[in-house]
Amino acid sequence: MNQHSPDLHFGIEVAGQRSRWWRVRSGARRPELFLERESVTQAHISLHESGQWHLKVDKKQRVLWNRPSEIAIGFTRALLIIQPGAVATITLPDTHDVKRISITEHAHPVHFNVFIEKPEINLSSWPGRTSMGTVLIGRIPLANDAGWCSVVAHQEPFTLAPQLGPKPTEEVVNQMREAAEDGSLYATLVSELADGTMAFVDGRVSTVSETK
């Protein structure tokens, strides 16, 4: 049994600026995963062994979904995190060992696919290696020798379908106003894809006139 919680940090960079990183962490005692985005201390994603997965914000369950079916024998795409170039607004560096994909500002967004892999998979390969122009960000083991979690990145266009969500609390609204006063509002939207995968899409809403 693993007695530690291995993790991966990942994100993008554009011309010396970086995005907020995402972290995926393996459970120490059970084969489950936990994710959070930098600076969102009260929000986390839990992928439990039971297959009942959720996003919680301020300890309240906001999104609930079930583990998707395998996309191929031995591979489940657990979720998708998308970062366009516009969210790279923080001056390098930071204090974490972050695996970053470097892109230009107007390039297609980077799709970070988080996979759950069975123990018998080929560790010298990964989903989409030969067909999608992908890059392996890294792998971490699951507890109890239950397999692996890999993060695989590629670039492609993405259109977010309209989504409805719960009304934000007064505290969240105040945080949004404070962010807006700094010139931009950084947020993550959630969208369910056709195959049942949840996509978490980072975005930046400009609140001031921007000129080039």
Side-chain angles (χ1 to χ4, degrees), residues 8-13 18-22 38 94-101 137:
L8 283 172
H9 292 76
F10 53 90
I12 65 169
E13 64 177 79
R18 68 174 180 87
S19 67
R20 300 186 190 276
W21 47 254
W22 280 82
E38 180 182 4
D94 60 36
T95 58
H96 293 85
D97 180 19
V98 181
K99 309 298 183 182
R100 296 194 186 91
I101 298 293
I137 299 299

Side-chain angles (χ1 to χ4, degrees), residues 58-85:
D58 295 327
K59 299 182 180 180
K60 295 181 180 179
Q61 188 167 277
R62 298 298 188 184
V63 183
L64 175 67
W65 72 103
N66 294 321
R67 175 174 174 153
S69 301
E70 290 187 345
I71 62 168
I73 296 176
F75 295 93
T76 299
R77 184 166 69 155
L79 53 81
L80 175 64
I81 293 168
I82 299 176
Q83 291 193 327

Side-chain angles (χ1 to χ4, degrees), residues 27-98:
R29 295 180 175 83
R30 297 178 181 175
E32 51 194 5
L33 297 169
F34 305 96
L35 294 97
E36 57 271 340
R37 199 196 76 201
E38 180 182 4
S39 82
V40 185
T41 57
Q42 298 300 316
H44 71 273
I45 302 166
S46 299
L47 310 183
H48 291 298
E49 182 182 11
S50 66
Q52 293 183 323
W53 296 351
H54 61 246
L55 164 68
K56 282 188 176 181
V57 180
D58 295 327
K59 299 182 180 180
K60 295 181 180 179
Q61 188 167 277
R62 298 298 188 184
V63 183
L64 175 67
W65 72 103
N66 294 321
R67 175 174 174 153
S69 301
E70 290 187 345
I71 62 168
I73 296 176
F75 295 93
T76 299
R77 184 166 69 155
L79 53 81
L80 175 64
I81 293 168
I82 299 176
Q83 291 193 327
V87 301
T89 60
I90 304 171
T91 302
L92 293 169
D94 60 36
T95 58
H96 293 85
D97 180 19
V98 181

Side-chain angles (χ1 to χ4, degrees), residues 75-149:
F75 295 93
T76 299
R77 184 166 69 155
L79 53 81
L80 175 64
I81 293 168
I82 299 176
Q83 291 193 327
V87 301
T89 60
I90 304 171
T91 302
L92 293 169
D94 60 36
T95 58
H96 293 85
D97 180 19
V98 181
K99 309 298 183 182
R100 296 194 186 91
I101 298 293
S102 180
I103 63 171
T104 59
E105 182 180 2
H106 300 295
H108 292 321
V110 177
H111 293 225
F112 293 98
N113 299 273
V114 179
F115 289 101
I116 295 174
E117 306 169 328
K118 289 185 175 178
E120 62 271 17
I121 60 99
N122 178 7
L123 293 178
S124 66
S125 187
W126 58 85
R129 179 181 180 184
T130 60
S131 61
M132 293 174 59
T134 58
V135 175
L136 178 65
I137 299 299
R139 272 195 177 95
I140 54 176
L142 300 178
N144 301 334
D145 298 320
W148 304 85
C149 166

